[in-house]
Amino acid sequence: MVQGKPQNTKKLILEMLYRNKGRFLSGQKISEAIGCSRTAVWKHIRELIDGGYRIEAVQKSGYRLERAPEGIDEAALSAGLKTEQMGRRIVFSESMDSTQKQALRLAEDGAESGTLVITNEQTSGRGRLGHGWTSVRGKNITMSLIVRPGLPIEKTPQLTLITAVAAAETIERTAAVPCGIKWPNDILIEGKKIVGILTELQAEENRIKAVVIGIGMNVNTEASVYRKHRLNTATSLTALTGETYDLNRFVQDFLLNFEYRLGQFMRDGFTAIKPLWESRAVSLGKQIRVRRPGGHMLEGRAIGIDDEGVLLLEEDNGRIDHVYSADIDWS
């Protein structure tokens, strides 16, 4: 028997319904597993229904979950996880200012590796170099992941590229659309941004204490939203395919894929990841403009990345510049 605290009982019931989705689960079985009365089970079921869950209740058969509200659901996300570490602690809120800010605070307080901070609405999101990141409520994925890889600081750029590869692979498997990666942190489809990644670290001397990886994915936003706001440089999977996707399943698949690629990197080094990134790179071989923090500009041809994940830029005079952090574009 699982004894749940009063505030967790509803979540435990919901997790049981998710694990038995498509099948009826008797009130008696739920009450025995959770450690509460059948009357309490019915009360929590009614609260879930009032909250937008569609739950079928049949006398002598029990309860069956038919449909959940739109967006991320903590119980659904937890119930379907197949990872060993990533997402095993979930910090969820329907709305928060910034998953990245919250995750950085948690990491400073010692939150374990794999902690996932996720929301259905982000009100003050931010991307790299101070750029904003807006998330439509219940339509997209906005999350930050705390990782403690025990790496030297110079390896940090590689974690951004590993995340990009994992995100691209997840999208390709889920929606069957090919992705491109714009160094270092954007996933593009048909030249439009669909994923942004922000990597920030907490360090001690020359070692990483924690890395917080923020990921924003445009998934279920309708094409009309981009037209209305004249967002010509962004898109979503729904806008591209006309399909609607289960955000919880999407996050589960990404976490599993990221965990696999991170383990591969820790075991075999970046050489195992590098060709996966390069095969999707949209800027390699192009004449690009590099805008570094502070406004300093460089121009040249992107000739590749080194084994640390740093962009190599060849200027017209043949000089090779190592670009660690910057915005890039091309004509």
Side-chain angles (χ1 to χ4, degrees):
M1 179 183 293
V2 177
Q3 293 286 347
K5 295 179 182 179
Q7 64 267 30
N8 292 333
T9 301
K10 186 159 57 175
K11 178 186 172 185
L12 292 170
I13 292 171
L14 194 52
E15 286 181 352
M16 288 188 69
L17 291 172
Y18 270 110
R19 291 193 178 98
N20 292 273
K21 198 170 183 181
R23 301 193 301 269
F24 280 101
L25 196 60
S26 72
Q28 183 64 33
K29 188 171 183 178
I30 296 173
S31 68
E32 290 174 355
I34 301 298
C36 64
S37 68
R38 292 179 64 179
T39 301
V41 170
W42 170 240
K43 176 187 173 184
H44 288 301
I45 292 288
R46 288 299 312 171
E47 289 176 356
L48 288 169
I49 292 171
D50 290 343
Y53 290 88
R54 181 176 293 177
I55 300 172
E56 186 178 4
V58 176
Q59 193 172 11
K60 295 184 180 180
S61 294
Y63 308 103
R64 181 172 65 185
L65 178 63
E66 293 186 338
R67 196 175 68 188
E70 189 176 51
I72 295 292
D73 182 276
E74 183 182 1
L77 186 54
S78 178
L81 275 178
K82 297 179 182 178
T83 54
E84 293 182 4
Q85 185 182 65
M86 299 300 147
R88 285 301 165 180
R89 179 190 175 190
I90 298 173
V91 178
F92 171 78
S93 177
E94 277 295 329
S95 179
M96 65 176 70
D97 58 350
S98 164
T99 61
Q100 195 75 354
K101 291 178 182 176
Q102 175 81 324
L104 286 166
R105 288 192 291 266
L106 290 169
E108 190 64 39
D109 291 339
E112 61 267 34
S113 186
T115 298
L116 178 70
V117 181
I118 191 165
T119 184
N120 270 323
E121 181 186 46
Q122 183 169 254
T123 58
S124 300
R126 60 191 174 90
R128 290 181 67 252
L129 306 179
H131 297 170
W133 179 271
T134 302
S135 177
V136 180
R137 187 184 186 99
K139 295 287 187 178
N140 301 317
I141 295 168
T142 307
M143 59 185 175
S144 294
L145 189 62
I146 298 172
V147 181
R148 298 187 185 274
L151 294 169
I153 290 175
E154 60 267 22
K155 301 290 185 183
T156 306
Q158 299 172 348
L159 296 175
T160 301
L161 305 188
I162 292 166
T163 305
V165 167
E169 289 178 327
T170 303
I171 290 170
E172 289 166 352
R173 293 171 187 171
T174 301
V177 290
C179 294
I181 302 177
K182 177 186 175 185
W183 184 90
N185 65 329
D186 291 344
I187 309 296
L188 309 179
I189 299 179
E190 297 179 1
K192 296 183 178 182
K193 183 174 178 177
I194 198 163
V195 177
I197 299 164
L198 172 63
T199 303
E200 297 180 283
L201 64 88
Q202 295 171 346
E204 190 172 73
E205 295 181 352
N206 66 337
R207 300 288 297 181
I208 297 172
K209 287 173 56 182
V211 177
V212 176
I213 305 171
I215 304 127
M217 297 184 175
N218 297 332
V219 182
N220 288 331
T221 300
E222 293 85 358
S224 58
V225 173
Y226 297 106
R227 290 195 296 268
K228 178 180 177 181
H229 296 282
R230 297 182 180 179
L231 298 172
N232 299 321
T233 59
T235 191
S236 72
L237 287 182
T238 292
L240 290 165
T241 69
E243 302 290 331
T244 301
Y245 299 88
D246 183 333
L247 297 187
N248 299 297
R249 176 68 61 83
F250 215 103
V251 174
Q252 291 161 357
D253 290 347
F254 167 77
L255 292 175
L256 185 63
N257 200 26
F258 175 79
E259 185 172 85
Y260 173 75
R261 291 301 180 196
L262 181 62
Q264 186 181 36
F265 164 68
M266 297 297 291
R267 183 179 64 252
D268 303 327
F270 189 65
T271 54
I273 306 297
K274 186 178 177 182
L276 301 174
W277 187 92
E278 289 180 325
S279 67
R280 297 177 174 86
V282 297
S283 53
L284 295 190
K286 286 187 169 67
Q287 195 74 12
I288 66 171
R289 293 177 293 274
V290 174
R291 186 180 302 104
R292 283 174 163 161
H296 181 61
M297 295 286 294
L298 282 175
E299 291 192 18
R301 188 169 65 93
I303 60 174
I305 56 173
D306 66 14
D307 288 338
E308 304 300 328
V310 176
L311 181 66
L312 302 176
L313 182 78
E314 183 181 35
E315 296 186 59
D316 291 341
N317 60 11
R319 175 182 171 181
I320 305 298
D321 285 294
H322 291 68
V323 183
Y324 292 87
S325 179
D327 271 349
I328 67 170
D329 59 52
W330 57 88
S331 299

